[in-house]
Amino acid sequence: MREIQAPKGVSEYFPPRSQYFEFVRETLITAAKVSGYQLIELPVFEDTDLFKRGVGESTDVVSKEMYTFEDRGGRSITLRPEGTAGVMRSVIENNLDKLTLPIKVWYSGAFFRAERPQAGRYRQFYQVGIEAIGLNDPEIDFEVIAVADRAFKALGLNSYRLDITSLGDSASRASHRKDLLIFLDSLNLDEATKARAAINPLRLFDDKREDIQKAMAKAPLLLDYLSPESADNFARVQELLTNAGIAFTINPRMVRGLDYYTGTTFEFVSDKLGAQSGIGGGGRYDGLMAELGGNDLSGIGFGLGVDRILLACEAEGLFDSTEVKSELELFVIALSAEQKSYVSNLVNDLRNQGINCDMAYGDRALKGSMKSADKSGARFSVVIGSDEIDSGNVALKDMKTGSIKEVRISALSVEVKAN
RNA sequence: GUGGUCGUAGCUCAGCUGGUAGAGCACUCGGUUGUGGUCCGAGAUGUCGCGGGUUCGAGCCCCGUCGAUCACCCCA
């Protein structure tokens, strides 16, 4: 019989590395919370049409990377490939846009794309994202970018950069597109490249081949076609970033893969990763809500890739410490089998009193039990034999210093909490 | 989806021109009666990713397959 293995391309986090995954995710979430974002928890599967209309049928994500299936009621269901569309759907459906604006929410969870796996590119991946909806104001563009940057700095990341650009409003994009298509027509492109250009001509800007790069050097840039308002907005965002000391690079050749982006658009890129180096990105989306049948509100948000950020942190050596991170405060050991049930009861009582504790299981010799105590990462340990039960006194051992303190068993919880 | 590389104990890997497997770390036990992290000793562990083929004989060769990885593509 064949051994069952995990589906292709999924990432799994288990001890001890899971603690770092958790730390990264919680740090990202904290950055959102402290800026006034509130949790929105959504289904991981949605009506397929939500993504077709929201993300855009011409995108690679929708056209060839979605996990789509028919449910038992004959509905077409898709595992969410990104977070923004679902948030919009929920905002519209639950009338959140009728309340005070802007709506500021954060989310965290798994997303799915059927791509060829690679380090940092998984078929089930994790994102933390925020959305600020209902306000088209450079201040909030700045805020969103600053939340991400603060999160990265809180993690201790150094080797990353922020690329920003503006995709302008629809008029800006239309006039640029016209000129760009004329320009591309003048190039001698192969069929595959032509096909890519037909779907989204901007794609050619980040083609990695040298000859294409060279040819595109003379291509008209969207930034030069911005309407006065778009240009003003973009200038203001830059000013705010500069004042806040957030370094950025204007990258007019940046391309985003989802159709809904407009205006301010940004990407965080780690230079410690390989080809999958984008650790987060986002931007403004003007027409998305209206497209999905809601009010015509603008919004801006980002998605941060937890898997990749974890890889980046590891690549920067932020988690090199061999120290065990543990929530445990106390580890209790029964000297012999006779004290097992006593210890079991004691640990249960201590847990009821809010002490994080664990005990030695099985019939190991004291030496083995002490090893377990050591590995558990608990701050204190206690050995209980018949003497301790008779006298009611135990030797509370500090596992770091090795020092021992005589304590009443009844005072264990107080003593542990005090230290 | 396209192309390249790789797949041996829990982990990192070694295995000479084909003769049915080893190291380090980790793990378990012990170093005389009740205290871990150092040191010393002993021990357990693998259908050599899976399936087929060539061969007297394959971890080493061939084909397929699954998976990982690198680049393209795409993006978090």
Side-chain angles (χ1 to χ4, degrees), chain A residues 219-283:
Chain A
L221 295 174
L222 178 46
L223 268 188
D224 298 326
Y225 287 73
L226 293 187
S227 64
E229 306 95 281
S230 291
D232 281 355
N233 267 3
F234 188 46
R236 179 79 182 126
V237 171
Q238 292 173 50
E239 188 188 329
L240 288 163
L241 287 171
T242 304
N243 290 345
I246 297 174
F248 61 90
T249 310
I250 296 173
N251 181 357
R253 289 149 195 285
M254 184 173 89
V255 183
R256 306 247 68 222
L258 314 181
D259 277 357
Y260 52 64
Y261 286 117
T262 63
T264 305
T265 316
F266 57 94
E267 220 166 63
F268 288 89
V269 182
S270 167
D271 51 38
K272 294 286 184 191
L273 302 180
Q276 309 306 321
S277 57
I279 54 177

Side-chain angles (χ1 to χ4, degrees), chain A residues 49-56 82 85 258-260 288 291-292:
Chain A
D49 283 338
L50 172 65
F51 302 115
K52 286 192 175 171
R53 281 164 57 187
V55 179
E82 59 93 54
L258 314 181
D259 277 357
Y260 52 64
L288 181 56
E291 171 63 34
L292 295 174

Side-chain angles (χ1 to χ4, degrees), chain A residues 107-120:
Chain A
Y107 59 81
S108 165
F111 295 85
F112 308 86
R113 282 171 2 198
E115 299 180 272
R116 177 110 166 218
Q118 213 173 312

Side-chain angles (χ1 to χ4, degrees), chain A residues 94-367:
Chain A
N94 298 299
N95 294 313
L96 301 184
D97 53 337
K98 311 293 195 307
L99 306 173
T100 315
L101 300 176
I103 304 147
K104 302 209 315 187
V105 291
W106 67 267
Y107 59 81
S108 165
F111 295 85
F112 308 86
R113 282 171 2 198
E115 299 180 272
R116 177 110 166 218
Q118 213 173 312
R121 182 165 77 182
Y122 307 110
R123 293 184 165 192
Q124 171 172 329
F125 58 99
Y126 297 85
Q127 269 188 242
V128 168
I130 69 174
E131 307 292 346
I133 303 151
L135 205 62
N136 192 350
D137 184 332
E139 308 281 341
I140 202 128
D141 292 20
F142 159 71
E143 173 182 293
V144 166
I145 294 172
V147 166
D149 191 66
R150 197 173 301 120
F152 294 143
K153 284 180 177 145
L155 285 167
L157 284 173
N158 268 315
S159 299
Y160 68 91
R161 65 165 206 275
L162 165 62
D163 281 6
I164 63 168
T165 189
S166 172
L167 299 179
D169 51 30
S170 54
S172 316
R173 282 194 303 285
S175 63
H176 170 253
R177 187 186 167 94
K178 217 176 84 200
D179 287 359
L180 179 60
L181 288 175
I182 293 169
F183 172 82
L184 292 179
D185 236 21
S186 75
L187 298 178
N188 219 348
L189 299 173
D190 61 273
E191 285 310 311
T193 311
K194 262 188 197 158
R196 285 209 297 136
I199 293 165
N200 181 357
L202 294 174
R203 281 280 161 72
L204 298 200
F205 278 114
D206 71 347
D207 195 302
K208 302 216 169 95
R209 288 170 298 183
E210 242 176 72
D211 49 324
I212 303 285
Q213 292 245 0
K214 232 170 147 185
M216 291 302 288
K218 290 180 216 111
L221 295 174
L222 178 46
L223 268 188
D224 298 326
Y225 287 73
L226 293 187
S227 64
E229 306 95 281
S230 291
D232 281 355
N233 267 3
F234 188 46
R236 179 79 182 126
V237 171
Q238 292 173 50
E239 188 188 329
L240 288 163
L241 287 171
T242 304
N243 290 345
I246 297 174
F248 61 90
T249 310
I250 296 173
N251 181 357
R253 289 149 195 285
M254 184 173 89
V255 183
R256 306 247 68 222
L258 314 181
D259 277 357
Y260 52 64
Y261 286 117
T262 63
T264 305
T265 316
F266 57 94
E267 220 166 63
F268 288 89
V269 182
S270 167
D271 51 38
K272 294 286 184 191
L273 302 180
Q276 309 306 321
S277 57
I279 54 177
R284 182 161 284 286
Y285 37 85
D286 282 335
L288 181 56
M289 260 188 85
E291 171 63 34
L292 295 174
N295 288 336
D296 192 4
L297 296 179
S298 180
I300 182 165
F302 65 59
L304 307 180
V306 182
D307 311 83
R308 290 183 185 176
I309 294 167
L310 172 59
L311 289 171
C313 286
E314 289 169 337
E316 290 201 30
L318 301 179
F319 301 146
D320 269 359
S321 125
T322 48
E323 195 181 333
V324 205
K325 263 188 168 173
S326 172
E327 309 279 322
L328 285 181
E329 297 165 292
L330 178 65
F331 195 92
V332 186
I333 296 165
L335 186 60
S336 65
E338 286 84 70
Q339 292 89 37
K340 287 229 123 163
S341 62
Y342 180 91
V343 164
S344 207
N345 283 329
L346 176 63
V347 165
N348 194 249
D349 285 346
L350 289 168
R351 287 171 177 164
N352 287 338
Q353 292 170 60
I355 301 295
N356 299 348
C357 58
D358 204 354
M359 57 180 281
Y361 299 98
D363 293 313
R364 310 185 71 188
L366 182 56
K367 179 167 177 163

